Amino acid sequence: MPIRVEIYTAGGVATGVVARTGPLREALDGAGDLLIERSRWLPLDGSGERPGGDITLATDDLLLVASDEAEGGPVHAQWHTIEVDAGPYRVIGEMPTMPGFDPGRALARPTGEFVFLRDARIRLIDRDDAGEAGADRLLVNRYTVDRVAADMMLGFFFPGAEMVLTGAAAEEATHPKPVPATGATPIAPPA
C-alpha cells in the first residue's frame, strides 16, 4: 500500500507517495535512493509550488521524513522532548527511550540512519513568518543534525551535532551534586 510522505531537504519540501509494503524506515535505511511518485515540490526560495511527477532523491539528502504510516513507536517507551536543527529546519518533538535508559551506560547503540520522533513541529530556523508544519510521526536523518537540545546526552544518536542539555540534566551539569561522605575515618600517613 502506498505511503504518503513529506520529504524535507535543504532546498525544499517534496510531497507524494512511496509505493512499498512494509515500514518506511526500512525503505530509507536499506536504499540509496527513494522514489517519490505523484510528487509536488515546494522550494524554500519562495518561487512557488511545482508539480514534479516522479522524482528520485538520495536518502543522504533527506533531512526529515513525515508520513501517514501507522507505526507509532515503541509501546512501553518514556518520551523525552527534544529539539533538533537539521539544515534550515528546527524540529521540536518527542523521542522514545526504554524505561531506565541511560545513554552513557547503554550497551546498545542506535542503528539505522533515521531516528523516530512523535508529535513533531517543524519550522524554518530564523523564519518565524514562514509558519509551522506538524507531523504525528517524523523520521530524522541523524547524520544531518547540527544541534540537539534534550534532557539527556544524545551524542551516540546524533554524531557530530552540538549537544545542549535542558531541564534537570542542565542543572546537574552546571551544579553537580556533592558526593556524600562515607563516614569513614581517614587513615593517617605513616610516621
Side-chain angles (χ1 to χ4, degrees), residues 23-79:
L24 179 62
R25 186 185 228 164
E26 287 178 11
L28 295 172
D29 283 338
D33 294 325
L34 184 67
L35 175 64
I36 304 163
E37 300 173 354
R38 302 186 309 260
S39 72
R40 298 193 67 76
W41 177 253
L42 181 62
L44 292 181
D45 66 9
S47 60
E49 187 174 330
R50 303 188 287 264
D54 293 352
I55 60 171
T56 301
L57 297 172
T59 55
D60 288 344
D61 294 337
L62 312 181
L63 305 177
L64 312 169
V65 179
S67 74
D68 66 357
E69 191 173 31
E71 179 184 350
V75 176
H76 298 290
Q78 290 180 324
W79 295 90

Side-chain angles (χ1 to χ4, degrees), residues 118-137:
R118 75 173 185 188
D119 301 331
R121 296 184 324 272
I122 306 160
R123 65 179 178 90
L124 290 170
I125 297 173
D126 299 328
R127 289 273 320 271
D128 293 332
D129 62 323
E132 182 176 274
D136 293 336
R137 290 164 295 283

